[in-house]
Short mmCIF file of all heavy atoms in Angstrom, two decimals:
data_model
loop_
_atom_site.label_atom_id
_atom_site.label_comp_id
_atom_site.label_asym_id
_atom_site.label_seq_id
_atom_site.Cartn_x
_atom_site.Cartn_y
_atom_site.Cartn_z
N ALA I 273 -9.16 -14.03 2.73
CA ALA I 273 -9.74 -14.77 1.62
C ALA I 273 -8.72 -15.79 1.01
O ALA I 273 -9.08 -16.87 0.70
CB ALA I 273 -10.30 -13.87 0.59
N THR I 274 -7.49 -15.30 0.93
CA THR I 274 -6.38 -16.21 0.46
C THR I 274 -6.24 -17.38 1.35
O THR I 274 -6.12 -18.50 0.92
CB THR I 274 -5.05 -15.41 0.37
OG1 THR I 274 -5.23 -14.35 -0.52
CG2 THR I 274 -3.98 -16.38 -0.10
N LEU I 275 -6.28 -17.13 2.65
CA LEU I 275 -6.11 -18.23 3.61
C LEU I 275 -7.31 -19.24 3.56
O LEU I 275 -7.22 -20.41 3.55
CB LEU I 275 -5.99 -17.79 5.03
CG LEU I 275 -4.60 -17.16 5.35
CD1 LEU I 275 -4.54 -16.62 6.80
CD2 LEU I 275 -3.56 -18.32 5.28
N ALA I 276 -8.51 -18.64 3.33
CA ALA I 276 -9.71 -19.46 3.19
C ALA I 276 -9.66 -20.27 1.89
O ALA I 276 -9.93 -21.53 1.93
CB ALA I 276 -10.95 -18.58 3.11
N PHE I 277 -9.14 -19.68 0.80
CA PHE I 277 -8.88 -20.38 -0.44
C PHE I 277 -7.87 -21.57 -0.17
O PHE I 277 -8.17 -22.62 -0.66
CB PHE I 277 -8.46 -19.41 -1.48
CG PHE I 277 -8.01 -20.12 -2.76
CD1 PHE I 277 -9.00 -20.52 -3.72
CD2 PHE I 277 -6.70 -20.34 -3.17
CE1 PHE I 277 -8.65 -21.23 -4.84
CE2 PHE I 277 -6.30 -20.91 -4.28
CZ PHE I 277 -7.32 -21.40 -5.22
N LEU I 278 -6.83 -21.25 0.52
CA LEU I 278 -5.91 -22.31 0.83
C LEU I 278 -6.49 -23.48 1.57
O LEU I 278 -6.26 -24.59 1.27
CB LEU I 278 -4.65 -21.83 1.48
CG LEU I 278 -3.74 -20.81 0.86
CD1 LEU I 278 -2.77 -20.23 1.75
CD2 LEU I 278 -3.11 -21.46 -0.38
N TRP I 279 -7.30 -23.13 2.53
CA TRP I 279 -7.88 -24.16 3.33
C TRP I 279 -8.89 -24.96 2.45
O TRP I 279 -8.83 -26.20 2.62
CB TRP I 279 -8.75 -23.48 4.45
CG TRP I 279 -9.39 -24.48 5.35
CD1 TRP I 279 -8.68 -25.23 6.29
CD2 TRP I 279 -10.69 -24.90 5.40
NE1 TRP I 279 -9.63 -26.09 6.93
CE2 TRP I 279 -10.85 -25.87 6.41
CE3 TRP I 279 -11.83 -24.49 4.72
CZ2 TRP I 279 -12.02 -26.50 6.67
CZ3 TRP I 279 -13.09 -25.07 4.96
CH2 TRP I 279 -13.17 -26.03 6.05
N LEU I 280 -9.60 -24.41 1.52
CA LEU I 280 -10.50 -25.11 0.70
C LEU I 280 -9.73 -26.08 -0.34
O LEU I 280 -10.29 -27.11 -0.64
CB LEU I 280 -11.44 -24.18 -0.07
CG LEU I 280 -12.42 -23.47 0.77
CD1 LEU I 280 -13.10 -22.39 -0.06
CD2 LEU I 280 -13.47 -24.38 1.37
N ARG I 281 -8.59 -25.61 -0.65
CA ARG I 281 -7.75 -26.39 -1.60
C ARG I 281 -6.90 -27.35 -0.93
O ARG I 281 -6.14 -28.10 -1.56
CB ARG I 281 -6.94 -25.37 -2.45
CG ARG I 281 -7.77 -24.61 -3.35
CD ARG I 281 -7.06 -23.98 -4.57
NE ARG I 281 -6.13 -24.84 -5.13
CZ ARG I 281 -6.26 -25.50 -6.33
NH1 ARG I 281 -7.33 -25.44 -6.91
NH2 ARG I 281 -5.21 -26.19 -6.75
N GLN I 282 -6.93 -27.49 0.46
CA GLN I 282 -6.16 -28.41 1.15
C GLN I 282 -6.32 -29.81 0.59
O GLN I 282 -7.44 -30.20 0.22
CB GLN I 282 -6.66 -28.26 2.56
CG GLN I 282 -6.22 -29.23 3.53
CD GLN I 282 -6.68 -28.75 4.93
OE1 GLN I 282 -6.54 -27.72 5.41
NE2 GLN I 282 -7.31 -29.70 5.63
N GLY I 283 -5.26 -30.48 0.62
CA GLY I 283 -5.22 -31.86 0.02
C GLY I 283 -4.82 -31.91 -1.36
O GLY I 283 -4.54 -33.00 -1.92
N LYS I 284 -4.86 -30.76 -2.17
CA LYS I 284 -4.44 -30.85 -3.56
C LYS I 284 -2.93 -30.91 -3.53
O LYS I 284 -2.22 -30.50 -2.64
CB LYS I 284 -4.80 -29.55 -4.19
CG LYS I 284 -6.32 -29.27 -4.17
CD LYS I 284 -7.04 -30.20 -5.03
CE LYS I 284 -8.52 -29.86 -5.10
NZ LYS I 284 -9.43 -30.98 -5.18
N ASN I 285 -2.37 -31.51 -4.56
CA ASN I 285 -0.95 -31.66 -4.72
C ASN I 285 -0.24 -30.46 -5.27
O ASN I 285 0.15 -30.53 -6.41
CB ASN I 285 -0.62 -32.91 -5.53
CG ASN I 285 0.81 -33.44 -5.41
OD1 ASN I 285 1.45 -33.09 -4.54
ND2 ASN I 285 1.20 -34.17 -6.41
N LYS I 286 -0.22 -29.40 -4.49
CA LYS I 286 0.32 -28.12 -5.02
C LYS I 286 1.29 -27.54 -3.99
O LYS I 286 1.24 -27.71 -2.77
CB LYS I 286 -0.80 -27.05 -5.06
CG LYS I 286 -1.98 -27.50 -6.03
CD LYS I 286 -1.71 -26.89 -7.37
CE LYS I 286 -2.92 -27.27 -8.18
NZ LYS I 286 -2.76 -27.04 -9.57
N LEU I 287 2.31 -26.91 -4.54
CA LEU I 287 3.27 -26.20 -3.74
C LEU I 287 2.88 -24.70 -3.60
O LEU I 287 2.65 -24.07 -4.57
CB LEU I 287 4.65 -26.22 -4.32
CG LEU I 287 5.76 -25.36 -3.67
CD1 LEU I 287 6.00 -25.84 -2.28
CD2 LEU I 287 7.07 -25.40 -4.47
N ILE I 288 2.63 -24.22 -2.43
CA ILE I 288 2.20 -22.90 -2.24
C ILE I 288 3.34 -22.06 -1.62
O ILE I 288 4.00 -22.54 -0.65
CB ILE I 288 0.99 -22.92 -1.21
CG1 ILE I 288 -0.13 -23.72 -1.83
CG2 ILE I 288 0.57 -21.47 -0.89
CD1 ILE I 288 -1.24 -24.07 -0.78
N ILE I 289 3.57 -20.98 -2.22
CA ILE I 289 4.67 -20.06 -1.64
C ILE I 289 3.99 -18.77 -1.24
O ILE I 289 3.33 -18.10 -2.08
CB ILE I 289 5.78 -19.80 -2.74
CG1 ILE I 289 6.45 -21.14 -3.10
CG2 ILE I 289 6.83 -18.89 -2.11
CD1 ILE I 289 7.46 -20.99 -4.10
N LEU I 290 4.01 -18.42 0.02
CA LEU I 290 3.44 -17.14 0.54
C LEU I 290 4.55 -16.16 0.69
O LEU I 290 5.57 -16.46 1.33
CB LEU I 290 2.73 -17.50 1.88
CG LEU I 290 1.55 -18.45 1.80
CD1 LEU I 290 0.96 -18.67 3.11
CD2 LEU I 290 0.53 -17.92 0.76
N ARG I 291 4.20 -14.92 0.32
CA ARG I 291 5.22 -13.81 0.35
C ARG I 291 4.81 -12.79 1.43
O ARG I 291 3.66 -12.35 1.26
CB ARG I 291 5.40 -13.22 -0.97
CG ARG I 291 6.38 -11.95 -0.96
CD ARG I 291 6.27 -11.26 -2.24
NE ARG I 291 4.96 -10.94 -2.67
CZ ARG I 291 4.52 -9.76 -2.97
NH1 ARG I 291 5.29 -8.76 -2.92
NH2 ARG I 291 3.23 -9.58 -3.30
N TYR I 292 5.62 -12.45 2.31
CA TYR I 292 5.37 -11.44 3.22
C TYR I 292 6.45 -10.38 3.07
O TYR I 292 7.44 -10.57 2.58
CB TYR I 292 5.52 -11.93 4.66
CG TYR I 292 4.39 -12.86 5.08
CD1 TYR I 292 4.38 -14.24 4.84
CD2 TYR I 292 3.19 -12.27 5.63
CE1 TYR I 292 3.33 -15.07 5.18
CE2 TYR I 292 2.13 -13.17 5.99
CZ TYR I 292 2.16 -14.45 5.68
OH TYR I 292 1.08 -15.34 6.08
N HIS I 293 6.20 -9.14 3.60
CA HIS I 293 7.19 -8.07 3.64
C HIS I 293 7.43 -7.77 5.05
O HIS I 293 8.41 -8.23 5.67
CB HIS I 293 6.66 -6.84 2.87
CG HIS I 293 6.84 -6.92 1.45
ND1 HIS I 293 7.93 -6.31 0.81
CD2 HIS I 293 6.05 -7.46 0.52
CE1 HIS I 293 7.86 -6.58 -0.46
NE2 HIS I 293 6.81 -7.25 -0.75
N SER I 294 6.61 -6.95 5.71
CA SER I 294 6.79 -6.42 7.02
C SER I 294 5.84 -7.01 8.03
O SER I 294 4.59 -7.15 7.65
CB SER I 294 6.72 -4.88 7.00
OG SER I 294 7.00 -4.38 8.23
N VAL I 295 6.27 -7.36 9.26
CA VAL I 295 5.35 -7.89 10.28
C VAL I 295 5.51 -6.99 11.46
O VAL I 295 6.55 -6.94 12.15
CB VAL I 295 5.76 -9.36 10.62
CG1 VAL I 295 4.87 -9.85 11.76
CG2 VAL I 295 5.61 -10.26 9.41
N GLY I 296 4.43 -6.27 11.78
CA GLY I 296 4.50 -5.38 12.95
C GLY I 296 3.34 -4.54 13.09
O GLY I 296 2.45 -4.54 12.22
N GLU I 297 3.30 -3.78 14.04
CA GLU I 297 2.21 -2.82 14.36
C GLU I 297 2.15 -1.60 13.56
O GLU I 297 1.18 -0.87 13.43
CB GLU I 297 2.15 -2.53 15.83
CG GLU I 297 2.16 -3.73 16.71
CD GLU I 297 1.38 -4.93 16.19
OE1 GLU I 297 0.11 -4.77 15.96
OE2 GLU I 297 1.96 -6.05 16.05
N HIS I 298 3.32 -1.21 13.00
CA HIS I 298 3.41 0.02 12.28
C HIS I 298 3.50 -0.20 10.84
O HIS I 298 4.41 -0.95 10.35
CB HIS I 298 4.70 0.88 12.71
CG HIS I 298 4.72 1.16 14.13
ND1 HIS I 298 3.84 2.04 14.71
CD2 HIS I 298 5.41 0.64 15.15
CE1 HIS I 298 4.05 2.04 16.05
NE2 HIS I 298 4.99 1.18 16.29
N ARG I 299 2.59 0.31 10.07
CA ARG I 299 2.64 0.00 8.60
C ARG I 299 3.71 0.69 7.86
O ARG I 299 3.67 1.88 7.89
CB ARG I 299 1.24 0.37 7.98
CG ARG I 299 0.13 -0.54 8.49
CD ARG I 299 -1.15 -0.32 7.63
NE ARG I 299 -2.16 -1.19 8.01
CZ ARG I 299 -2.23 -2.43 7.52
NH1 ARG I 299 -1.42 -2.90 6.64
NH2 ARG I 299 -3.19 -3.28 7.97
N ARG I 300 4.57 -0.03 7.25
CA ARG I 300 5.61 0.56 6.40
C ARG I 300 4.93 0.78 5.01
O ARG I 300 5.32 1.69 4.36
CB ARG I 300 6.74 -0.41 6.24
CG ARG I 300 7.66 -0.42 7.50
CD ARG I 300 8.82 -1.29 7.17
NE ARG I 300 9.60 -1.54 8.38
CZ ARG I 300 10.60 -0.89 8.74
NH1 ARG I 300 11.07 0.10 8.04
NH2 ARG I 300 11.27 -1.27 9.86
N HIS I 301 4.14 -0.11 4.59
CA HIS I 301 3.47 -0.06 3.30
C HIS I 301 2.24 -0.96 3.45
O HIS I 301 2.03 -1.69 4.36
CB HIS I 301 4.37 -0.30 2.08
CG HIS I 301 5.18 -1.51 2.32
ND1 HIS I 301 4.81 -2.80 2.38
CD2 HIS I 301 6.52 -1.57 2.66
CE1 HIS I 301 5.80 -3.66 2.58
NE2 HIS I 301 6.78 -2.92 2.72
N GLU I 302 1.49 -1.07 2.32
CA GLU I 302 0.25 -1.79 2.33
C GLU I 302 0.36 -3.31 2.46
O GLU I 302 -0.63 -3.97 2.71
CB GLU I 302 -0.57 -1.40 1.03
CG GLU I 302 0.03 -1.95 -0.28
CD GLU I 302 1.17 -0.97 -0.74
OE1 GLU I 302 1.40 0.10 -0.14
OE2 GLU I 302 1.60 -1.33 -1.81
N VAL I 303 1.55 -3.82 2.28
CA VAL I 303 1.68 -5.27 2.44
C VAL I 303 2.13 -5.72 3.75
O VAL I 303 2.61 -6.88 3.95
CB VAL I 303 2.59 -5.92 1.22
CG1 VAL I 303 1.86 -5.79 -0.05
CG2 VAL I 303 3.86 -5.26 1.28
N ASN I 304 2.17 -4.87 4.73
CA ASN I 304 2.49 -5.21 6.14
C ASN I 304 1.31 -6.00 6.70
O ASN I 304 0.19 -5.84 6.43
CB ASN I 304 2.65 -3.86 6.89
CG ASN I 304 3.01 -4.22 8.37
OD1 ASN I 304 4.00 -4.80 8.61
ND2 ASN I 304 2.13 -3.72 9.28
N VAL I 305 1.78 -6.91 7.54
CA VAL I 305 0.72 -7.61 8.40
C VAL I 305 1.08 -7.44 9.83
O VAL I 305 2.22 -7.43 10.27
CB VAL I 305 0.73 -9.19 7.99
CG1 VAL I 305 1.99 -9.86 8.25
CG2 VAL I 305 -0.45 -9.86 8.69
N ARG I 306 0.04 -7.23 10.63
CA ARG I 306 0.22 -7.03 12.04
C ARG I 306 0.69 -8.39 12.73
O ARG I 306 0.36 -9.43 12.19
CB ARG I 306 -1.04 -6.44 12.73
CG ARG I 306 -1.44 -5.17 12.05
CD ARG I 306 -2.44 -4.45 13.00
NE ARG I 306 -2.98 -3.24 12.45
CZ ARG I 306 -2.30 -2.10 12.44
NH1 ARG I 306 -1.08 -1.98 12.98
NH2 ARG I 306 -2.79 -1.08 11.76
N SER I 307 1.42 -8.24 13.86
CA SER I 307 2.03 -9.41 14.49
C SER I 307 0.85 -10.48 14.81
O SER I 307 1.05 -11.71 14.66
CB SER I 307 2.72 -8.96 15.71
OG SER I 307 3.84 -8.19 15.38
N ALA I 308 -0.21 -10.00 15.42
CA ALA I 308 -1.23 -10.93 15.82
C ALA I 308 -1.92 -11.65 14.68
O ALA I 308 -2.14 -12.87 14.70
CB ALA I 308 -2.38 -10.12 16.61
N ALA I 309 -2.10 -10.87 13.53
CA ALA I 309 -2.56 -11.52 12.29
C ALA I 309 -1.59 -12.66 11.80
O ALA I 309 -1.95 -13.74 11.27
CB ALA I 309 -3.00 -10.54 11.32
N PHE I 310 -0.31 -12.26 11.82
CA PHE I 310 0.69 -13.22 11.32
C PHE I 310 0.71 -14.37 12.16
O PHE I 310 0.85 -15.57 11.63
CB PHE I 310 2.06 -12.42 11.32
CG PHE I 310 3.23 -13.36 10.81
CD1 PHE I 310 3.39 -13.52 9.55
CD2 PHE I 310 4.09 -13.96 11.74
CE1 PHE I 310 4.38 -14.33 9.03
CE2 PHE I 310 5.11 -14.69 11.22
CZ PHE I 310 5.28 -14.95 9.90
N ARG I 311 0.58 -14.19 13.47
CA ARG I 311 0.54 -15.43 14.44
C ARG I 311 -0.61 -16.30 14.06
O ARG I 311 -0.47 -17.55 13.99
CB ARG I 311 0.44 -14.90 15.81
CG ARG I 311 0.15 -16.03 16.86
CD ARG I 311 1.40 -16.99 16.81
NE ARG I 311 1.13 -18.08 17.56
CZ ARG I 311 2.00 -18.57 18.45
NH1 ARG I 311 3.20 -17.94 18.65
NH2 ARG I 311 1.74 -19.63 19.20
N GLN I 312 -1.84 -15.74 13.77
CA GLN I 312 -2.97 -16.50 13.42
C GLN I 312 -2.75 -17.20 12.11
O GLN I 312 -3.13 -18.43 11.96
CB GLN I 312 -4.24 -15.58 13.26
CG GLN I 312 -4.79 -15.05 14.61
CD GLN I 312 -5.90 -14.15 14.42
OE1 GLN I 312 -6.00 -13.48 13.44
NE2 GLN I 312 -6.74 -14.06 15.43
N GLN I 313 -2.09 -16.63 11.13
CA GLN I 313 -1.96 -17.22 9.88
C GLN I 313 -0.95 -18.41 9.90
O GLN I 313 -1.07 -19.42 9.38
CB GLN I 313 -1.43 -16.16 8.88
CG GLN I 313 -2.45 -15.14 8.55
CD GLN I 313 -1.92 -14.00 7.75
OE1 GLN I 313 -0.74 -14.04 7.22
NE2 GLN I 313 -2.66 -12.87 7.57
N MET I 314 0.15 -18.19 10.80
CA MET I 314 1.15 -19.21 10.92
C MET I 314 0.53 -20.40 11.80
O MET I 314 0.78 -21.58 11.47
CB MET I 314 2.37 -18.71 11.70
CG MET I 314 3.15 -17.72 10.82
SD MET I 314 3.66 -18.26 9.20
CE MET I 314 2.47 -17.41 8.14
N ASP I 315 -0.29 -20.12 12.78
CA ASP I 315 -0.97 -21.20 13.51
C ASP I 315 -1.87 -21.95 12.49
O ASP I 315 -1.88 -23.26 12.51
CB ASP I 315 -1.87 -20.67 14.58
CG ASP I 315 -1.14 -20.20 15.77
OD1 ASP I 315 -0.01 -20.74 16.04
OD2 ASP I 315 -1.67 -19.38 16.54
N PHE I 316 -2.53 -21.29 11.64
CA PHE I 316 -3.43 -22.00 10.68
C PHE I 316 -2.54 -22.88 9.73
O PHE I 316 -2.94 -24.12 9.53
CB PHE I 316 -4.16 -20.86 9.80
CG PHE I 316 -4.97 -21.41 8.71
CD1 PHE I 316 -6.22 -21.84 8.84
CD2 PHE I 316 -4.39 -21.59 7.42
CE1 PHE I 316 -6.99 -22.35 7.81
CE2 PHE I 316 -5.10 -22.03 6.32
CZ PHE I 316 -6.38 -22.44 6.54
N LEU I 317 -1.50 -22.35 9.17
CA LEU I 317 -0.65 -23.14 8.28
C LEU I 317 -0.01 -24.23 8.97
O LEU I 317 0.10 -25.34 8.46
CB LEU I 317 0.41 -22.18 7.69
CG LEU I 317 -0.14 -21.14 6.75
CD1 LEU I 317 0.95 -20.21 6.37
CD2 LEU I 317 -0.81 -21.73 5.55
N ALA I 318 0.44 -24.10 10.25
CA ALA I 318 1.14 -25.23 10.92
C ALA I 318 0.17 -26.37 11.21
O ALA I 318 0.57 -27.49 11.31
CB ALA I 318 1.67 -24.59 12.29
N LYS I 319 -1.16 -26.06 11.44
CA LYS I 319 -2.13 -27.07 11.70
C LYS I 319 -2.61 -27.78 10.47
O LYS I 319 -2.87 -29.04 10.52
CB LYS I 319 -3.28 -26.50 12.46
CG LYS I 319 -2.96 -26.10 13.91
CD LYS I 319 -4.22 -25.39 14.46
CE LYS I 319 -3.80 -24.93 15.90
NZ LYS I 319 -4.79 -23.93 16.45
N ARG I 320 -2.65 -27.05 9.36
CA ARG I 320 -3.26 -27.63 8.23
C ARG I 320 -2.36 -27.93 6.97
O ARG I 320 -2.91 -28.48 6.00
CB ARG I 320 -4.45 -26.73 7.73
CG ARG I 320 -5.56 -26.73 8.80
CD ARG I 320 -6.71 -25.83 8.30
NE ARG I 320 -7.89 -25.89 9.09
CZ ARG I 320 -8.06 -25.30 10.26
NH1 ARG I 320 -7.00 -24.51 10.78
NH2 ARG I 320 -9.16 -25.43 11.08
N TYR I 321 -1.23 -27.50 7.08
CA TYR I 321 -0.20 -27.67 5.99
C TYR I 321 1.07 -28.28 6.56
O TYR I 321 1.31 -28.39 7.72
CB TYR I 321 -0.05 -26.31 5.27
CG TYR I 321 -1.18 -25.95 4.37
CD1 TYR I 321 -2.24 -25.27 5.02
CD2 TYR I 321 -1.28 -26.28 3.05
CE1 TYR I 321 -3.31 -24.96 4.23
CE2 TYR I 321 -2.35 -25.91 2.27
CZ TYR I 321 -3.47 -25.31 2.85
OH TYR I 321 -4.54 -25.00 2.11
N LYS I 322 2.00 -28.51 5.54
CA LYS I 322 3.33 -28.97 5.90
C LYS I 322 4.30 -27.83 5.50
O LYS I 322 4.77 -27.84 4.33
CB LYS I 322 3.62 -30.20 5.16
CG LYS I 322 5.07 -30.65 5.24
CD LYS I 322 5.18 -31.86 6.13
CE LYS I 322 6.59 -32.33 6.25
NZ LYS I 322 7.24 -31.74 7.31
N PRO I 323 4.60 -26.94 6.39
CA PRO I 323 5.63 -25.87 6.10
C PRO I 323 6.99 -26.47 5.84
O PRO I 323 7.49 -27.28 6.69
CB PRO I 323 5.62 -25.02 7.39
CG PRO I 323 4.41 -25.29 8.09
CD PRO I 323 4.06 -26.73 7.79
N VAL I 324 7.57 -26.10 4.69
CA VAL I 324 8.89 -26.67 4.34
C VAL I 324 9.73 -25.44 3.90
O VAL I 324 9.22 -24.44 3.53
CB VAL I 324 8.84 -27.59 3.17
CG1 VAL I 324 8.06 -28.87 3.57
CG2 VAL I 324 8.22 -27.05 1.85
N SER I 325 11.05 -25.60 4.07
CA SER I 325 11.98 -24.57 3.54
C SER I 325 11.98 -24.48 2.06
O SER I 325 11.54 -25.42 1.42
CB SER I 325 13.44 -24.91 4.06
OG SER I 325 13.96 -25.95 3.32
N LEU I 326 12.39 -23.40 1.57
CA LEU I 326 12.48 -23.15 0.12
C LEU I 326 13.37 -24.28 -0.44
O LEU I 326 13.13 -24.86 -1.49
CB LEU I 326 12.97 -21.78 -0.18
CG LEU I 326 12.96 -21.39 -1.60
CD1 LEU I 326 11.52 -21.45 -2.25
CD2 LEU I 326 13.43 -19.95 -1.80
N ARG I 327 14.51 -24.57 0.17
CA ARG I 327 15.45 -25.59 -0.28
C ARG I 327 14.75 -27.00 -0.33
O ARG I 327 14.92 -27.69 -1.29
CB ARG I 327 16.70 -25.63 0.61
CG ARG I 327 17.66 -26.70 0.18
CD ARG I 327 18.88 -26.80 1.18
NE ARG I 327 19.51 -25.53 1.26
CZ ARG I 327 20.61 -25.25 0.62
NH1 ARG I 327 21.20 -26.17 -0.26
NH2 ARG I 327 21.23 -24.06 0.68
#
Side-chain angles (χ1 to χ4, degrees):
T274 300
L275 284 176
F277 174 75
L278 293 175
W279 183 75
L280 292 172
R281 294 199 37 103
Q282 172 174 305
K284 304 287 187 218
N285 193 21
K286 301 270 181 187
L287 173 62
I288 300 164
I289 299 177
L290 298 178
R291 175 190 54 124
Y292 289 88
H293 277 267
S294 182
V295 177
E297 307 320 305
H298 304 287
R299 289 193 178 274
R300 290 183 187 265
H301 45 72
E302 67 277 358
V303 292
N304 180 60
V305 62
R306 298 197 187 280
S307 298
F310 182 76
R311 173 60 187 229
Q312 290 175 331
Q313 292 170 14
M314 293 305 105
D315 283 338
F316 174 87
L317 293 173
K319 289 176 186 167
R320 292 183 171 81
Y321 287 85
K322 171 108 180 89
V324 297
S325 70
L326 187 56
R327 179 182 301 259

